[in-house]
DNA sequence: CTGATCCAGCGAACCGTTTCGACGATGGAA
DNA sequence: TTCCATCGTCGAAACGGTTCGCTGGATCAG
């Protein structure tokens, strides 16, 4: 029989007589045959691969993203290729080139480079669907799935202000990132709404890393005018802050109230329970892959079609723990 | 000029005159050309893809593995495809089939299925290099990189016994896994060496999950004869145990000593500092990829060659925290 | 000057699958 | 009976690179 018939059987793309089909499937089983995707990709122009590029794979937050993305990709029939740009624009560029040669069908990207070009085209000039995740670098050009960072900062700050705190400090991320800048803006807005403003010394930004947060928080907490409440703008930063407290012999919430944003796995075992905003990571990732899959099928059907970019913004959810307490009047 | 020349330039596989080379590189830059790996793979029979199959992607321990594997794969020139078998044999089988169609060059596998067939062959009948990571399911058949689990259990237990504890309990993993069984054996050996044995009620095994450890530990700690020291056989389990203590109002190490094995990210912020054995995850993953790369190049040079399997066993390192204290004579 | 040597560049086959048009057999309608 | 659809199957081109062997011009020694 011919290879065409085998292809028809494997892909169920044409009617094949029962006996011939039986012989084909028998042969497949006997030879333990599996179609080679390289050849299939070459012909079909797709790869059934989704690329996930995160900005810091060592950050447990992104571990959750990887986990959710693997599940979602698998559910949609894709395999997930994981890359780590490590917050370096040159890595990101290198990775995007690599992705192009792999001819991945779609890209879920936590952008690092502000100069990210929105249109990412493959060799045939078709655009490869790209969804920005968590942050945006080219506002509006490509699809994005993000959290409302300003709302996260505001929710947490409002809560702290409600408790009577006025000396609220924050350790936030890099200000050129929407995640770092947004959460700080949220804090400022919330304070401004009550006629307050944070002290300059109480605003610090740095990489979203535990050790960075530790050293920065230590400085701030050691300083003469210590904030009575501290907003750590990410989960790993909160860990760093808690470690500062332990090392300085301070107690939370008795000596200082702590709140954060963006949960990481294992934080549930921390005592006191951290007051924080949670991100619906799984939902966000699912939405990202849904958009990617939409775009992929759409591009395949009508390469010329150019829909406007979709921007899905999720809302953070404030979870109350016992790491904050009302300010005692001293 | 011909495509052969372009190929020669791109792959640096033959000498090309400077001016022609310049024209080629100029054209590549102008057209923004990148070779399509599907076509390249089809011809070369390789994919520059390494598959990483972990047994539980939600476990922060494996997040570290993913992170290290991405870095190592990238350094060797591979891209990393991540799969999650979720401790289910049927998933593992499905994934291995998928990997074969992707014609990955090598596989780093945390095995789930005891019936794992050691020889994993691709369509041409060549064996695809496979390294078992962390656990072994087909002892001796394929290469493996593991930790000395028995030593880990013994080190921790010896330390606890040195502190005077005799009622040592453990929450360990599934006993059909070398990780769960080995750590328990280590504990038994250490106790037997001093003429001791754990109480049956103080030996519990279950999945390597925080919630499982929580409920199991809670039962054990609530029971009349509570162990004075508890060995949690994994990082996430330790978190579950610590949460039990917090919820029961017990203090560590005053009321009970806790020690564990296999560190996870963020555990450094936990107070008290956990006494534990650390796994050299990065070194282990690097070794795994080094073996894979060796095998890959070896198979390419001489498909018939059959070297004996290599088994690299790393030693755990005991890190002393302050979660254990000498048993007070009561 | 001539024949051998060398080498840059090229043509074409090939990798394994999909896809489309062709083809022969079959069956129903005129 | 003849003619035309219909339908199952097949042959062959195409996908985009790599690779091998060939060619033709330059170089060099005799």
């Amino acid at each position: 029989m011919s290879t065409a018939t085998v292809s028809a059987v494997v892909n169920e793309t044409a009617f094949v007589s029962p006996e011939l089909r039986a012989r084909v499937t028998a042969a497949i089983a006997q030879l333990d045959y599996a179609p080679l995707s390289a050849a299939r990709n070459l012909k079909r122009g797709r790869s059934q691969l989704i690329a996930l590029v995160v900005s810091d794979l060592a950050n447990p937050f992104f571990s959750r993203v990887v986990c959710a993305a693997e599940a979602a990709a698998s559910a949609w029939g894709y395999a997930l290729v994981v890359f780590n740009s490590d917050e370096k624009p040159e890595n990101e560029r290198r990775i995007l080139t690599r992705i192009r040669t792999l001819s991945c069908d779609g890209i879920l990207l936590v952008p690092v480079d502000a100069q990210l070009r929105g249109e990412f085209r493959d060799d045939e000039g078709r655009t490869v669907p790209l969804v920005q995740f968590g942050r945006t670098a080219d506002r509006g050009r490509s699809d994005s799935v993000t959290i409302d960072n300003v709302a996260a900062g505001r929710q947490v700050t409002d809560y702290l202000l409600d408790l009577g705190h006025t000396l609220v400090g924050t350790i936030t991320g890099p200000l050129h990132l929407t995640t770092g800048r947004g959460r700080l803006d949220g804090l400022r807005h919330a304070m401004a709404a009550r006629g307050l403003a944070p002290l300059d010394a109480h605003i610090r930004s740095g990489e979203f890393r535990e050790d960075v947060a530790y050293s920065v928080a230590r400085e701030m907490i050691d300083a003469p005018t210590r904030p009575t409440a501290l907003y750590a703008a990410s989960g790993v930063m909160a860990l760093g802050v808690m470690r500062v407290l332990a090392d300085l012999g301070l107690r939370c919430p008795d000596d200082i109230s702590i709140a954060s944003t963006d949960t990481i796995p294992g934080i549930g075992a921390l005592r006191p329970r951290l007051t924080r905003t949670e991100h619906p990571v799984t939902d966000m990732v699912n939405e990202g892959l849904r958009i990617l899959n939409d775009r992929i099928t759409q591009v395949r059907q009508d390469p010329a079609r150019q829909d406007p970019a979709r921007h899905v913004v999720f809302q953070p959810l404030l979870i109350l723990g016992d790491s904050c307490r009302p300010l005692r009047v001293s």
Side-chain angles (χ1 to χ4, degrees), chain A:
Chain A
M1 78 195 71
S2 83
T3 62
T5 307
V6 176
S7 178
V9 171
V10 170
N11 299 297
E12 297 179 355
T13 180
F15 186 85
V16 177
S17 69
E19 80 256 52
L20 198 46
R21 172 198 307 276
R23 281 174 54 203
V24 171
T25 48
I28 286 177
Q30 195 202 331
L31 299 174
D32 198 22
Y33 164 88
L36 214 53
S37 59
R40 174 173 283 188
N41 297 342
L42 178 59
K43 187 64 182 154
R44 298 217 270 216
R46 84 184 79 167
S47 63
Q48 295 294 93
L49 251 36
I50 294 281
L52 171 64
V53 189
V54 302
S55 59
D56 180 13
L57 201 43
N59 185 330
F61 173 74
F62 290 115
S63 299
R64 289 186 61 188
V65 174
V66 171
C67 183
E70 192 279 339
S74 171
W76 286 102
Y78 297 97
L80 188 75
V81 191
V82 175
F83 297 94
N84 182 13
S85 66
D86 211 15
E87 302 282 7
K88 298 197 182 69
E90 66 268 25
N91 285 347
E92 183 174 281
R93 278 193 288 272
R94 186 177 47 73
I95 291 167
L96 286 174
T97 304
R98 188 94 171 76
I99 288 172
R100 201 158 58 114
T101 76
L102 285 173
S103 54
C104 292
D105 294 343
I107 308 172
L108 194 63
L109 172 77
V110 181
V112 167
D113 194 350
Q115 278 80 5
L116 172 74
R117 35 179 204 175
E119 9 76 52
F120 187 73
R121 301 181 172 283
D122 69 2
D123 305 288
E124 288 84 36
R126 285 188 304 235
T127 69
V128 177
L130 183 152
V131 170
Q132 298 185 74
F133 187 86
R135 321 164 173 170
T136 52
D138 70 336
R139 187 91 231 158
R141 301 288 300 280
S142 57
D143 298 328
S144 68
V145 175
T146 52
I147 195 85
D148 188 339
N149 289 296
V150 178
R154 183 159 41 211
Q155 281 182 25
V156 169
T157 309
D158 271 335
Y159 174 70
L160 293 172
L161 296 175
D162 285 346
L163 291 180
H165 294 275
T166 53
L167 287 176
V168 180
T170 186
I171 317 269
T172 189
L175 296 183
H176 62 92
L177 300 179
T178 53
T179 42
R181 163 64 68 180
R183 293 169 199 183
L184 173 58
D185 285 350
L187 175 134
R188 285 191 191 279
H189 291 172
M191 293 187 77
R194 309 200 190 195
L196 298 170
L199 299 182
D200 283 349
H202 288 173
I203 301 277
R204 296 294 297 270
S205 71
E207 294 167 78
F208 283 122
R209 282 171 41 191
E210 200 266 0
D211 53 347
V212 170
Y214 179 88
S215 53
V216 166
R218 180 149 191 159
E219 267 180 43
M220 191 189 298
I221 292 173
D222 256 349
T225 55
R226 171 193 303 167
T228 61
L230 189 51
Y231 169 42
S234 92
V236 286
M237 285 182 155
L239 289 181
V241 170
M242 297 310 266
R243 192 155 61 89
V244 168
L245 299 191
D247 287 359
L248 291 180
L250 295 173
R251 284 184 315 167
C252 171
D254 308 272
D255 298 310
I256 187 169
S257 293
I258 304 291
S260 81
T261 275
D262 134 307
T263 290
I264 56 178
I267 215 167
L270 205 63
R271 290 298 180 276
R273 269 177 288 262
L274 203 56
T275 291
R276 63 191 186 265
T277 58
E278 285 260 6
H279 293 192
V281 176
T282 306
D283 293 341
M284 290 174 68
V285 169
N286 285 343
E287 179 65 15
L289 262 91
R290 217 177 52 73
I291 294 178
L292 272 183
N293 194 63
D294 279 4
R295 293 281 184 194
I296 289 166
T297 54
Q298 189 186 96
V299 163
R300 210 178 306 295
Q301 281 165 12
D302 176 12
R305 185 161 159 198
Q306 285 287 9
D307 284 9
R310 281 146 79 181
H311 301 288
V312 182
V313 180
F314 281 77
Q315 286 304 314
L317 180 65
L318 186 66
I319 305 283
L320 298 185
D322 38 32
S323 65
C324 302
R325 53 171 287 172
L327 183 66
R328 53 177 166 235
V329 191
S330 56

